[in-house]
Amino acid sequence: MIRRSVRLEVAGGLRRPVMALALQFAVPAAAWAGVAEGVSAPVLAASAGVATLLGAAGVGYLVVLRKRLLRLQTQLDAARGGDGAASFDALQARHFHRTADDGHCLEGWVDLTGRLFWVNRAIERYTGRRAEEVLLGGFVDVVVYERDRRYCRDQIRKALEDGEPAEFELRLVNAGSHVQWMACHWQPIRDDEGALLGLRVTMSDIQARKEAEYKLLETVAALRRAQALSEHYLRRSNEERSRLSALLDVVRMGILFMDADRRVVYCNRVLYDIWGVAESESFVGVRDVVLQQYVLQFLADGPAYQRHVAEVVQQRGPSEPYEIRFKDGRVVTDFSRVVPGPDGARSLGRIWVFEDVTEQRRVAQQLLHMAERDPLTNLFNRRRFHEELERMLADGARHREGVGLLAIDLDGFKPVNDRFGHQAGDEVLVGLAAAVGAVVRRNEMFFRMGGDEFAILVPAAVAQDIAELARRVCACIAGLRFTFGGESAGVSASIGIALSTRNGVEAESLIGAADRAMYLAKALGGNCWEFAREPSGVAVD
């Protein structure tokens, strides 16, 4: 409005001189009309032409002057910061850019080709890269995490095709390769006619929320594993309880009663099942010698069983449980005692109780294995480590021999776990356990202490031999390579060595010395081994 009023004032001011000049030239023209007819016609014609030329020249000069004044007014508006619409738009643009640059969120504009052609300064805070570098290199290729690039491009294309707002999440990677989660909002931008100009991109930091989600997922996974393990133990416990209940209810044991003449008087169905006898056959009335000859074909050590029976029948008191091992792998225990008569003067015979304990032995061995072994790597666990360390230290003290301890901590394991997931980390631990287990000798024991920590106990250890073992273990671990998603990964080890002859014969002192040496090796860059220092603080060669 200001510019329009200025233009009207200038136009009105120019119109008045033009009219005055026209009047000045109009009076002489009328005066010439009254001149006597005697004046010659050529003179009159020349005078009229001169007047016309002067009038046209004046009008042309005023038009030029008007254009110059309008140009000066435009320059004046620009010099004063612009009071017109264009200057107001420019002022708004400057305020918008300043607000966007100072905002907490990352703001940008994606054109119709899917290219980011403007981004605010928040890009430097999130990625460590200047806006010009991101715009020239392409937003997706430069700062979007590699695994999310295809997904990001698909979302941009879909938002441009649909012309509707969209929200999703992706990861940005900064100049230091640190990955950060962002929540993205894509808002279509349209002109006054409704034509799509591009997409407004707004990104906000959700890294803290994602980390909380990951921790929650890990907690849920841990609870599910704990629940599965509890259900497993509960199932085993219920099986044992069911066996005990069945035993009390129906006496699920093989029972054989022999009279004083050593003939079979009674045997239950379970006994037939134990000895593999068909239901159509019967042991009743068979002498003990015939029965022994029959069962020898099923036993792994028949003569030993015959000696056992001969010893038992010579006793009058209860016998000790005896294990009978079958050729098919079953284990059956027997128990026997004399059945006294009513008057106590003579016996009625002898009762034998047989119990198939194969499953019980298997479960017991499995529980013992689970208590002493790491479920992932099948290595001995921390509990077994402390038991073996105490035993070796006691044996070493008796034989005046040293016990060596290698404390092993993996270098670079956490990045593998974070980048490729816990399943990849488990694969690394399992592969490492198998590879190092092949390096450890038979008299040496390999343990997983938890996480990415391992230990090796060496009986009758000397410094030279244990240093060579540490060298082999370091080389073995460093040489392992794993492939996840087409990418190669590996780890190394920092090893601390302690000897009972140098660092004390107490378990805790030996463990502490090995740990300190391991941390020293890690501080030196890892993938190496170091001996623990003696209590005096002097380094051991």
Side-chain angles (χ1 to χ4, degrees), residues 243-394:
R243 281 193 286 268
L244 178 60
S245 177
L247 173 64
L248 295 176
D249 291 341
V250 297
V251 190
R252 296 297 302 170
M253 292 183 180
I255 298 175
L256 174 67
F257 182 78
M258 304 188 76
D259 61 13
D261 295 331
R262 297 185 179 180
R263 289 183 181 273
V264 177
V265 178
Y266 170 82
C267 57
N268 63 356
R269 184 67 254 168
V270 177
L271 180 72
Y272 290 110
D273 295 338
I274 290 175
W275 295 105
V277 179
E279 295 183 3
S280 58
E281 298 182 12
S282 175
F283 286 151
V284 176
V286 177
R287 295 185 61 87
D288 60 345
V289 177
V290 177
L291 184 60
Q292 289 182 32
Q293 292 298 323
Y294 175 81
V295 301
L296 288 179
Q297 60 179 323
F298 305 109
L299 304 182
D301 189 353
Y305 177 71
Q306 288 179 314
R307 292 192 297 269
H308 160 68
V309 173
E311 292 174 1
V312 169
V313 296
Q314 299 300 322
Q315 305 172 6
R316 292 194 59 84
S319 67
E320 295 294 330
Y322 177 81
E323 284 192 357
I324 308 170
R325 296 192 174 274
F326 285 62
K327 293 179 180 179
D328 59 3
R330 291 183 297 146
V331 179
V332 175
T333 59
D334 71 1
F335 169 81
S336 177
R337 64 172 298 170
V338 174
V339 180
D343 55 0
R346 56 184 297 272
S347 66
L348 299 179
R350 179 175 291 275
I351 186 173
W352 292 83
V353 179
F354 298 90
E355 182 182 6
D356 188 344
V357 296
T358 305
E359 182 62 17
Q360 297 179 20
R361 293 287 189 273
R362 187 188 69 81
V363 172
Q365 186 64 29
Q366 183 179 9
L367 293 176
L368 179 63
H369 184 275
M370 294 174 64
E372 296 183 340
R373 297 275 182 171
D374 173 56
L376 177 64
T377 62
N378 200 34
L379 297 176
F380 290 119
N381 58 17
R382 184 184 291 271
R383 174 190 172 191
R384 182 64 182 274
F385 166 80
H386 287 286
E387 293 177 355
E388 291 298 328
L389 178 58
E390 294 289 351
R391 181 186 65 79
M392 288 188 183
L393 288 174

Side-chain angles (χ1 to χ4, degrees), residues 147 376-377 410-417 419-437 452 454 473-493:
R147 296 186 179 181
L376 177 64
T377 62
L410 300 184
D411 308 319
F413 178 75
K414 188 177 183 302
V416 173
N417 226 10
R419 183 175 178 82
F420 303 105
H422 293 287
Q423 185 174 359
D426 292 347
E427 184 176 337
V428 170
L429 294 177
V430 172
L432 183 146
V436 177
D452 59 344
F454 299 84
V473 171
C474 266
C476 174
I477 295 176
L480 295 175
R481 303 305 299 174
F482 303 90
T483 302
F484 306 111
E487 298 185 32
S488 179
V491 295
S492 59

Side-chain angles (χ1 to χ4, degrees), residues 97-138:
H97 283 286
R98 184 176 297 111
T99 302
D101 287 337
D102 295 339
H104 182 71
C105 296
L106 192 154
E107 298 280 353
W109 187 314
V110 174
D111 63 15
L112 296 179
T113 65
R115 181 181 64 88
L116 182 74
F117 70 88
W118 176 83
V119 68
N120 66 348
R121 285 200 304 246
I123 192 71
E124 300 179 8
R125 183 169 64 252
Y126 287 114
T127 67
R129 304 177 186 273
R130 295 183 296 106
E132 294 78 6
E133 180 183 357
V134 175
L135 295 177
L136 291 176

Side-chain angles (χ1 to χ4, degrees), residues 24-205:
Q24 291 177 6
F25 285 101
V27 173
W32 282 107
V35 177
E37 296 179 357
V39 182
S40 61
V43 174
L44 291 175
S47 298
V50 170
T52 302
L53 290 176
L54 290 176
V59 173
Y61 172 76
L62 290 178
V63 172
V64 173
L65 180 59
R66 178 186 179 188
K67 292 182 177 179
R68 182 176 298 175
L69 288 174
L70 290 176
R71 185 163 57 251
L72 291 174
Q73 183 64 39
T74 302
Q75 294 175 356
L76 180 60
D77 290 342
R80 292 178 178 176
D83 295 329
S87 298
F88 182 71
D89 293 342
L91 184 60
Q92 280 189 320
R94 285 199 301 273
H95 285 307
F96 170 76
H97 283 286
R98 184 176 297 111
T99 302
D101 287 337
D102 295 339
H104 182 71
C105 296
L106 192 154
E107 298 280 353
W109 187 314
V110 174
D111 63 15
L112 296 179
T113 65
R115 181 181 64 88
L116 182 74
F117 70 88
W118 176 83
V119 68
N120 66 348
R121 285 200 304 246
I123 192 71
E124 300 179 8
R125 183 169 64 252
Y126 287 114
T127 67
R129 304 177 186 273
R130 295 183 296 106
E132 294 78 6
E133 180 183 357
V134 175
L135 295 177
L136 291 176
F139 174 78
V140 177
D141 294 328
V142 175
V143 297
V144 176
Y145 186 50
E146 182 179 359
R147 296 186 179 181
D148 295 346
R149 291 173 185 172
R150 182 176 179 180
Y151 174 69
C152 181
R153 291 191 179 97
D154 291 342
Q155 292 298 318
I156 294 174
R157 182 173 59 254
K158 185 175 184 298
L160 290 173
E161 292 175 354
D162 298 343
E164 298 292 336
E167 294 183 356
F168 61 95
E169 298 174 355
L170 55 74
R171 289 166 287 185
L172 300 184
V173 58
N174 62 17
S177 300
H178 176 72
V179 177
Q180 184 168 358
W181 276 98
M182 305 291 288
C184 304
H185 178 76
W186 303 82
Q187 179 67 39
I189 302 174
R190 302 180 182 276
D191 59 12
D192 295 338
E193 286 74 22
L196 183 64
L197 301 177
L199 300 174
R200 177 185 174 181
V201 182
T202 303
M203 295 188 182
S204 57
D205 182 8

